[in-house]
Each structure stands twice: as structure tokens, then as C-alpha cells.
Amino acid sequence: MKQNVSLDASFWINACNADLVQFLSDYFVLFACNVVAQEIRYPLDVLNIEGVAGPSLFVEWCESDIVTLQDPEEPVDWYQRG
């Protein structure tokens, strides 16, 4: 059974750089909030750099519903500062 995971930009970037990103959807149901999506898409949307594999794949996966964009409904206090 796949586990739900919420991506952050650093994880996505590192998974792409380590050439592991293609396995993520085999093991996880992927979610990202809009702030994370904006950070991942930054090279495409702001810098207008085409052909960057990580951001391009992220956009493709969002459009294919492999990654679901979903913002939190309410804050959590699970973590301490730092």
C-alpha cells in the first residue's frame, strides 16, 4: 500500500539529482502545496529556463495527476522550532 507524502522542494531537487525521482510514484501518493510548487517551478516561471529536467517533470506530473497540489487546511503544531 502506498503511503501519502507531502513533497518539499529540497526533497524533489535531491531526488532528481540522485536520479531517483522516477521511483517516487511507485511507492508514494505524492502531494505538494502551492508554495512548494512555485519554488520547484521557479527556473521555468521566473528565470524562463527551458529544459530543466526537475521542474519540467514536476509540471508534467502535476498535469497528469501524479502529484496532487493541495494546500493545508489548517496549521499543525507537531514540530518544535528549529
Side-chain angles (χ1 to χ4, degrees):
M1 182 173 178
K2 292 183 184 182
Q3 297 291 313
N4 291 343
V5 296
S6 180
L7 300 173
D8 68 7
S10 295
F11 180 82
W12 180 265
I13 292 164
N14 288 326
C16 288
N17 289 338
D19 202 26
L20 298 173
V21 72
Q22 70 270 16
F23 301 111
L24 295 180
S25 64
D26 293 338
Y27 296 98
F28 303 106
V29 178
L30 304 168
F31 294 88
C33 66
N34 283 298
V35 173
V36 169
Q38 289 172 353
E39 186 175 353
I40 294 170
R41 293 175 53 110
Y42 185 85
L44 298 172
D45 295 343
V46 177
L47 302 177
N48 296 316
I49 300 173
E50 296 294 328
V52 180
S56 298
L57 182 61
F58 181 80
V59 170
E60 180 183 318
W61 281 21
C62 288
E63 290 172 353
S64 301
D65 294 325
I66 297 170
V67 174
T68 300
L69 294 181
Q70 181 176 338
D71 289 326
E73 295 176 10
E74 59 184 66
V76 296
D77 60 354
W78 300 340
Y79 306 103
Q80 298 175 3
R81 270 188 262 194

